Amino acid sequence: MDEWKQRFHQYRSADVAGAFGHILEKWRRRFHQRVRRRSIAIVLAGVSLVVLSIFLLGANYLSQIRLRDVLLEQVRLDTDRDAETLSFFFETARDELNNLTKASEFSAYFANRALGMSMQYGLRSSLLELHRRLEQTVRQNGEAGTVTGLFDWIAFVESPSGLPLARTGFDPPPTTNHWRPPPLPFDPVATGFAFWIPTDREPASVYAVLPYFFKAEYRGYLLAQLDSTTLHARLLAIVDHQNRQFCLVLTDRCLRLLADRSKPAGAVFAVELPAAAFGQPVLLKMDSAMPADGRFYGMAARIRDTPLALATFTPAERISGRAGPEQLLLLTGLLSGIVLLGTFFLWRMDNQNLVLKMHVAEEKRRQEDLAEKNLQLYQLAHHDTLTGLPNRDLLFDRLEHAMVRARRRGGRIALLFLDLDRFKTINDSLGHPVGDQVLQAVARRLRDNIRETDTVARLSGDEFILLLEDIRKSDDAVMVAEKILDLLAQPFSVAGHEMSLSISIGSSLFPEDGETATELIRNADTAMYRAKEGGRNCYQRYQRDLTDQLVERFELERGLRGAAERGEFELYYQPQLSSTENRLVAAEALLRWRHPQFGFVSPGLFIPLAEETGHIHEIGAWVLRAACAQTHAWLQAGLAPPPIAVNISGQQIMRGDLPAIVSAQLTEWDITPEQLELEITETSLMRHSEQSLGILQQLRELGIQLAIDDFGTGYSSMSYMKRFKVNALKIDRSFVEDLPDDEVDCDIARAIIALAHSLGLRVVAEGVETVAQRDFLQAEGCDRMQGYLFGRPVPSKEFERLLKSQAAN
Amino acid sequence: MWSGKLVLLLSLLVGTTVWAWDLPEIRANGVLRHLGIPYANFVTGSGDGLDVEMMQLFARHLGVRYEYVETTWADVLGDLLGRRVRFDGKRVEWLDETPVRGDAIANGLTVLPQRQQVLDYSTPTFPSGVWLIARADSSLEPIKPSSDPQADIKATRLLLAECSVLVLSNTCLDPKLHNLEETGATVRELPTIRNLNEMVPALLKGEADTTILDVPDALVALAKWPGQIKVIGPITGTQDMGVGFRKDSPQLREAFDQFFAKINREGIYPRLVRKYYPSVLDYYPDYFKRMTVGQ
């Protein structure tokens, strides 16, 4: 209590304002440091990101350049190869025309003409042959207008008239007069064989021109139009194969013939191709006036042995992707800028957060103070002010929580109920302040010696409860209890007084001993009282029948009082037979109590109770009297009852008036001492051995037969045995039970019989139930036997019939 | 049927006796005998030719077997008619009898009036004419054509005065047909030459200054020896060629005319002409156009 008060005062007397200012300053310094460190980290992260993005994009840029070079090289190789392929087409055309001029039809015609022959008489025939030969040449080289044709048509143009002599596709001469060849921009004689694309015609066509000489004299020229369909198809194949946008055949640098799927065959188009484009791809910018809009890689390759070239145009994005190296560089710059900007804003926002963070931190600290105060209030409300231990409320709270947990996990809880022995004496003798200090010392010692998970609470006065959670078995609780008994057995020094304390402990377990906290505490309390009954400074585990026994014991105790007067007692008689003669030689009187509520109550239950409550004297007297009265009655009836054995309690001997009572009864009922035997258990005899000696001696002097009952179950001293002067020993039924099968029991029985005989005592065996037992005992020399084999205990009337039948025999 | 067999039997019994041998007999006999002389591309001598293919088709048309019987210009009429014939100007001189070896003459036989006295011609099958041909190195210059064919013939004949000219009797190149002696030319007929195909080689060998050739043969020769011969000009106007039949075989001739009209209509004959005379169709376009429409 004082400790709590002290703490409370300290708190209140603190200089709150000063402490707050100090803390605020400390926090501010710490925040400044953190902010500075974070700013540097942010800037470093930003710079790292910029460097990383530049590095990545740079690497990408270089690889893009490499890739572009490779693709451009591919374009160059493809274009060269396609130009070479295309050259075969032109070469074939040239060869065909050369062959044509060597044909006999040409020489025949010009020879006949040179001979002066007229068209009318003979020459026309030669011309027809020549015409037919032209037709044949066109036909032979594939059908004109298909992808396999070589020529659309072939004509022979005479010199110097410039008129066609013959042309395929038209009726033979002289009906070709209306067709006129395109005017040649060059002199065939000077040029020789030539391919030519007229600049002013659309659709554009490629012409082959070959001058013809007869006998070294120029006679005109062959003019052939190359098959436009075939040429267009070949160019389109190149476009498709190379994945180009389009391609062209050009004369010199001016492009003429276009192959583009989006344009009709032979569409004309003109663009100046830079000289650099011959041999390697060059980036060109085209506009809407051109075949396609946008950026292209254009490249031209000469078609061998012709003045023509093949030009291919590949969209730039197919080479360098949609984002070219230049765009990548731009992207790098942009990305770096964004990262830097982001870093700057991050840094600025971080700084602006400083004040807010300080407010938040202060508020947090205030919340923590409040929580601490609440905690203190909670402590005050839930703890015992004297010892600082949890009080009853907190105990109940914890116990219930522990029970919930245990139910969930299937665990167990032990509750130890502690009560200081004779604490009242300390209070009374040394005063309450000392008593309080003792309680505090006990509380400290308990608190210091339990696990953190366990709870020790002060219930009231000198009562403590120890709550043990998560125990595995009930022995754990025993161990703790014994530890506590040892702990408190060590001396205490309180207010100058050295003292030893003892404590009684009762325990209950969850879930075996109760479902609720109240029930568990009550049962532990019950167990604690049992412990106190057991002699204090000990531990008692709660057992459920403790409660039932208490109730029954109370009822029995009440019932015993006056039971004799109410006629609830009755004596039964069990015969004892002589082993040698097999005749009735004695009978044991056995007390039966017929309780109005419980029915027959076992002597084993009510005799100890009677001894404890002191009723044993009253009951013992009744038994003695009843046995004597019955003997008297049978004698009066003319029967010859055997000696009746009556059991005597140790307490009856202890009281010392037993010889007087026995003597009085013998006298009252006019029976001889030989008619009566007294049986005393070995245990009670030995417990009160010194007192017993005199009493037994007096009884012997009266002439009463004495027997030691249940022999073998106690601790008989041979010297006492010698001095007691009894007449008989009764072997306990536990040794008879397993005869003759159990060798140890056989040995014990033999030993007892030998001992008794050596002391001159008679031996009686109890509980004989089988013929084998009887035979064994008989063989070993046992004098008398008693048991179900010979007769159960029976009421007096029935025993009387037995006596009568025996008398008759 | 019976009558056909009877005729056949009788013909065998009488041997050379001249009997009518017309279409029924040919059908009964089961064979069409084609009399041919290797000449130009009509009968090449190698088993084919324009007229060979035409007559084969005709035999198939009649449902009889085709048989080619080769003969010479000297014997060809006798082989058809059963009696040899000699023409003296326009007069016909009947000579001794000879076995009938064929049923029709078809080898570019020009329709000539003197022949018409002994033969019946089919409808014209081919255009013709006779041209004067010289070696290329000849001093003779080709005439300048005019619009009048007769003037051209006259101009050509004038040039013959000082020349020697190769001819072949009993053919379309028979000098008597063309009155070549009247021109003052030296008519030269070589005994070694039995065939028209041998005319140009003889000319090239220098056997004569010139030769006459019918137009189809001249066209073939111009293509065959380009630059070695030249056409000087026409000796005749345009002539026809046709298939020759005995005058007592009108049914056979009628059957041929119908057959010929049919193969023209169906384009079979023009195809054959283009095969053997590629230029002629273009050279005489009107001639063949007329033929195909059956005029």
Side-chain angles (χ1 to χ4, degrees), chain A residues 104 107-109 111-112 115-126 128-129 131-132 172, chain B residues 131 136 141-143 145-146 149 152 219 222 226-227 229-231 233-234 278-279 282-283 285:
Chain A
S104 59
S107 54
Y109 172 78
N112 291 339
L115 292 172
M117 282 168 60
S118 63
M119 279 290 172
Q120 200 170 342
Y121 300 108
L123 188 59
R124 188 154 162 266
S125 167
S126 302
L128 285 171
E129 294 286 345
H131 180 263
R132 197 163 42 253
Chain B
W131 283 351
E141 288 287 328
I143 64 159
S146 69
D152 291 346
L219 294 178
L222 282 171
I229 56 172
K230 57 187 174 186
V231 179
S279 303
D282 298 326
Y283 206 86

Side-chain angles (χ1 to χ4, degrees), chain A residues 664-675:
Chain A
Q665 289 297 322
L666 291 176
T667 307
E668 183 180 349
W669 297 104
D670 188 27
I671 54 175
T672 61
E674 290 78 19
Q675 291 292 131

Side-chain angles (χ1 to χ4, degrees), chain A residues 712-777:
Chain A
T713 57
Y715 307 95
S716 292
S717 158
M718 285 302 128
S719 65
Y720 281 118
M721 286 294 293
K722 189 180 156 188
R723 289 162 63 190
F724 279 155
K725 306 285 187 189
V726 295
N727 303 95
L729 293 182
K730 287 187 85 173
I731 304 174
D732 189 69
R733 59 178 64 242
S734 64
F735 301 118
V736 175
E737 208 167 49
D738 296 326
L739 291 178
D741 302 323
D742 192 306
E743 286 186 13
V744 175
D745 284 352
C746 289
D747 290 343
I748 291 170
R750 277 190 204 104
I752 291 172
I753 292 167
L755 172 71
H757 286 174
S758 68
L759 291 172
L761 302 179
R762 192 171 60 236
V763 179
V764 181
E766 283 185 295
V768 180
E769 294 178 356
T770 67
V771 175
Q773 288 169 350
R774 182 198 65 187
D775 291 347
F776 174 84
L777 291 166

Side-chain angles (χ1 to χ4, degrees), chain A residues 625-643:
Chain A
R625 178 185 178 79
C628 290
Q630 185 63 57
T631 304
H632 171 78
W634 283 328
L635 289 171
Q636 287 295 314
L639 297 170

